[in-house]
Amino acid sequence: MGGLTGKRSENRSRIIQAAAQLLREHGPAAVTTRGVAEHAGVQPPAIYRLFGDKDSLLDEVAESVMAEFAASKAAKVEAAQADSVDPLEDLYAGWRSQIEFGLANPALFRLLSDPARVARSPAAQTGRRVLEARVHRVAVTGRLRVSEPRAVAMIQAAGTGVIQTLLATPAEQRDPELPDAVYQAVLAHILTDPSTAPPDGTLATAVAFRAITPELTVLSAAERQLLDDWLDRVVNAL
């Protein structure tokens, strides 16, 4: 039984790797049952037994590649925290890696741009949590002047838009400075200017305080929740 299970797992992995390579090099149209089977060195019926249909196989491929990418990003965040890397430098590094990944994997990016697919993708949710962790580190420093969820949503929306725009533009006509220009525009909206006076500073302080409430273990869970609610009201009102 163990041998059969191992063989099944091996075939599954080979099929996913073969489909991922075809997807990267030739796009979704190349991911046919016959093509993947030939590339993976298995018989076509094995794909139906393991995945059911082409759409399910594409889901598995997208999830596998994204899971690997998300795990890599999570490891980088942990390393940045351990090495005390500046939170803004870490946030920018994450932005650049996301843009580069999308441009290098256009077919996969288009698959993952489907909201329904993203909603059910554990890897996509892991990627979002990585971005949330990076934004949280900025919030703790007192530099964020919008709520953490708003900052995450703006960065994610801007990144998706930049990748879509560049992919829709012939390579020779792409503006190489667009990603940084958009990123700076987002930062101008979500970050405080150290030279400004309240209420900008008041809002940043509220956001920073909201970021550290989970660490206030001297308070009970109910008290922390109440404090979170109060601070959310302050942040949304300013």
Side-chain angles (χ1 to χ4, degrees):
M1 181 66 69
L4 290 175
T5 301
K7 183 65 174 178
R8 182 184 179 90
S9 177
E10 180 185 346
N11 284 344
R12 187 181 189 87
S13 177
R14 288 166 59 187
I15 290 169
I16 289 176
Q17 290 176 9
Q21 183 176 351
L22 289 171
L23 182 66
R24 282 194 300 268
E25 296 178 358
H26 305 291
V31 187
T32 64
T33 302
R34 183 180 296 277
V36 172
E38 182 178 341
H39 214 64
V42 300
Q43 294 299 314
I47 296 177
Y48 291 108
R49 287 196 300 270
L50 291 170
F51 301 97
D53 56 27
K54 176 181 173 179
D55 286 342
S56 296
L57 173 57
L58 285 173
D59 279 342
E60 292 271 3
V61 170
E63 191 66 22
S64 176
V65 177
M66 268 304 298
E68 184 177 346
F69 179 61
S72 173
K73 290 201 300 181
K76 289 177 181 177
V77 170
E78 291 180 2
Q81 291 173 329
D83 295 339
S84 299
V85 173
D86 180 85
L88 287 176
E89 291 182 9
D90 185 38
L91 186 63
Y92 177 67
W95 168 270
R96 288 302 312 181
S97 68
Q98 184 68 37
I99 300 298
E100 291 165 2
F101 178 83
L103 295 181
N105 300 274
L108 181 61
F109 172 78
R110 292 186 179 99
L111 282 175
L112 293 169
S113 296
D114 177 359
R117 194 183 298 270
V118 170
R120 64 176 186 267
S121 167
Q125 301 312 312
T126 297
R128 183 179 178 86
R129 287 194 294 272
V130 171
L131 176 57
E132 290 171 346
R134 284 185 159 119
V135 168
H136 180 73
R137 293 187 68 220
V138 176
V140 170
T141 68
R143 290 296 312 278
L144 208 59
R145 66 183 178 96
V146 300
S147 68
E148 291 182 50
R150 171 66 63 84
V152 169
M154 289 189 66
I155 293 169
Q156 195 168 48
T160 300
V162 166
I163 295 169
Q164 288 178 333
T165 298
L166 292 176
L167 289 177
T169 305
E172 67 277 7
Q173 297 177 22
R174 292 176 184 172
D175 178 1
E177 298 180 2
L178 179 65
D180 281 359
V182 172
Y183 181 72
Q184 291 302 321
V186 172
L187 289 190
H189 183 82
I190 69 174
L191 295 184
T192 62
D193 181 342
S195 66
T196 60
D200 199 30
T202 301
L203 178 55
T205 300
V207 172
F209 193 16
R210 175 66 175 81
I212 66 169
T213 54
E215 302 171 17
L216 302 179
T217 54
V218 67
L219 301 178
S220 69
E223 289 170 333
R224 290 197 299 273
Q225 182 60 58
L226 182 59
L227 182 57
D228 284 346
D229 292 342
W230 285 343
L231 290 170
D232 285 340
R233 288 171 59 187
V234 172
V235 169
N236 292 329
L238 290 177

